[in-house]
Amino acid sequence: GGGNAADAAEAAGIILPPPPGAPPSGKDVLKDTTQLLSKATALLVAAEKRHQQRLEQKKKQMAPGAEVALLRRQLQQKVAEVEEINSRNERNIEQLQQRLRVVKEELADVQHKNVALEEARRATATRLLKERRHTRLVGDASEALKALKEENMQLVMLSNYLRQQQHAQRRQQQLDVPLPPLTDTN
């Protein structure tokens, strides 16, 4: 067979061209692909080198003034960015200070209210104490008044009794008045 002859030739290190119209062997395809890849890589490396050289060339061609101008532009941009951040921070600080002022005012107001409440509480306590004392005094006074009323009633009763006694005595005295002597009419 033809295949055996090809194998024998390959074993002997002789590479026979593939018969016309035969599909390429796997080895051939692999070899071709590898060659293409190495060519492509070489081309890429060369292109990268050329790009770097062009950049270097440009840098060398750029006048020192132009390089300084570029640096100055970049620096100005950075300064502008920093200034923007600073102004934003200042605005934030202002807002925070305003909020702090409001909070301080609210706190002062609350403390003022607390003081007022404490004073009101003290006043209420004092008033309650006075009211209690007043109630006690009123109670004492009403007790004393009740005692006085009872005493007064006893006195009234006594004076009524004495008046009745006087009245009775007067009547008795009137009755005791000696009658004029009976005239003897015989």
Side-chain angles (χ1 to χ4, degrees), residues 78-90:
K78 278 273 174 274
V79 168
E81 281 170 24
V82 169
E83 279 175 356
E84 171 56 32
I85 291 168
N86 275 351
S87 71
R88 208 178 313 141
N89 285 348
E90 276 170 17

Side-chain angles (χ1 to χ4, degrees), residues 31-47 50:
K31 204 193 293 171
D32 289 349
T33 309
T34 310
Q35 276 176 351
L36 278 173
L37 271 175
S38 61
K39 263 186 203 165
T41 308
L43 282 172
L44 276 173
V45 168
R50 274 201 303 278

Side-chain angles (χ1 to χ4, degrees), residues 62-77:
M62 193 188 276
E67 210 168 334
V68 167
L70 179 69
L71 284 173
R72 194 174 290 142
R73 264 205 308 283
Q74 288 172 341
L75 191 64
Q76 279 171 346
Q77 206 177 335

